[in-house]
Amino acid sequence: GEDVEQSLFLSVREGDSSVINCTYTDSSSTYLYWYKQEPGAGLQLLTYIFSNMDMKQDQRLTVLLNKKDKHLSLRIADTQTGDSAIYFCAERRYGGATNKLIFGTGTLLAVQP
Amino acid sequence: DSGVTQTPKHLITATGQRVTLRCSPRSEDLSVYWYQQSLDQGLQFLIHYYNGEERAKGNILERFSAQQFPDLHSELNLSSLELGDSALYFCASSRDWNSYEQYFGPGTRLTVT
């Protein structure tokens, strides 16, 4: 099927690291993404990783990709209260006429001061 | 700010009515995508237009239709509205039909009463 799975909720303390996990379905996906949605706001593209990479680091964000297990994770170092939001992983389905994103269920990250 | 604009921000209407949601892509982007975010279905792809032509359809109901105009803005038309159509509707744009980056607008929140 098209389900991309994420845990629903994660609570961390300010200054700790957060790790948000995602399991995707299509082993042929070439790009995988992390989007952030703050309350009442749209979807902000945080980072993405190409499928031939195992890891990508971008300032406080680290993305790890395990293609064998179809597992993607987002680590946020030194988590701040401003990081509180819903985080969506997404996989790109591309082929023929199709170029669409399949989103996960979203993980609500709550950062406690 | 992604550069993608959507109007209106909020829309409240009654069952059986018809509404039109509007999206303006980023400057020079030729592709427009529509996604629906609802509590029961999550974030799902509806339809993709590239340079005025429909490119791919997702889980879009027959009561819904879209088009992309010569100036590249797009409209999503929702008719015979039902309570279950209440959702956040996002538009995204990308440079080309096969671009791997999609930039999302702030969304239109539709409430059907």
Side-chain angles (χ1 to χ4, degrees):
Chain A
E2 292 206 329
D3 289 346
V4 178
E5 301 286 342
Q6 297 179 239
S7 50
L8 286 180
F9 182 72
L10 176 66
S11 178
V12 300
R13 289 200 174 276
E14 193 172 20
D16 288 350
S17 291
S18 308
V19 179
I20 303 171
N21 295 300
C22 169
T23 304
Y24 61 97
T25 56
D26 189 347
S27 57
S28 65
S29 291
T30 52
Y31 284 89
L32 296 133
Y33 308 81
W34 286 102
Y35 281 83
K36 176 183 180 182
Q37 185 178 31
E38 294 181 87
L43 291 163
Q44 176 193 355
L45 176 61
L46 283 179
T47 187
Y48 60 86
I49 188 167
F50 187 53
S51 59
N52 68 355
M53 300 169 67
D54 299 323
M55 184 180 88
K56 180 179 179 181
Q57 188 148 4
D58 185 359
Q59 299 180 23
R60 292 189 299 121
L61 305 179
T62 303
V63 179
L64 294 179
L65 175 60
N66 180 331
K67 281 194 72 175
K68 175 174 164 290
D69 295 337
K70 289 184 253 180
H71 184 264
L72 183 74
S73 67
L74 174 70
R75 178 178 180 269
I76 306 173
D78 187 26
T79 314
Q80 302 297 306
T81 54
D83 295 323
S84 293
I86 301 176
Y87 290 80
F88 291 92
C89 68
E91 57 175 331
R92 180 193 188 213
R93 296 283 172 85
Y94 172 68
T98 298
N99 182 32
K100 64 182 181 182
L101 299 179
I102 305 297
F103 284 88
T105 46
T107 299
L108 174 62
L109 174 64
V111 183
Q112 312 299 325
Chain B
D1 184 355
S2 67
V4 179
T5 61
Q6 290 186 247
T7 56
K9 196 170 172 62
H10 299 281
L11 200 45
I12 302 174
T13 190
T15 53
Q17 296 298 305
R18 173 190 168 91
V19 296
T20 298
L21 313 184
R22 183 188 168 102
C23 168
S24 293
R26 295 186 316 158
S27 174
E28 297 178 12
D29 280 2
L30 299 177
S31 271
V32 169
Y33 310 79
W34 287 96
Y35 290 83
Q36 179 196 57
Q37 185 179 30
S38 64
L39 282 175
D40 53 345
Q41 300 286 335
L43 247 174
Q44 57 175 356
F45 167 75
L46 294 178
I47 198 163
H48 170 199
Y49 272 81
Y50 169 71
N51 204 21
E53 300 288 327
E54 182 186 299
R55 186 79 196 176
K57 269 187 176 177
N59 297 327
I60 188 166
L61 299 171
E62 284 193 13
R63 301 183 284 110
F64 295 1
S65 64
Q67 51 185 329
Q68 187 180 25
F69 294 87
D71 68 352
L72 301 175
H73 90 272
S74 177
E75 293 181 356
L76 180 67
N77 300 296
L78 315 177
S79 62
S80 302
L81 285 167
E82 301 175 0
L83 295 177
D85 298 327
S86 296
L88 193 49
Y89 291 85
F90 287 109
C91 160
S93 75
S94 67
R95 186 58 50 90
D96 209 336
W97 75 269
N98 58 354
S99 301
Y100 58 84
E101 291 187 12
Q102 294 184 21
Y103 294 92
F104 282 75
T108 293
R109 182 167 294 283
L110 172 67
T111 302
V112 182
T113 62

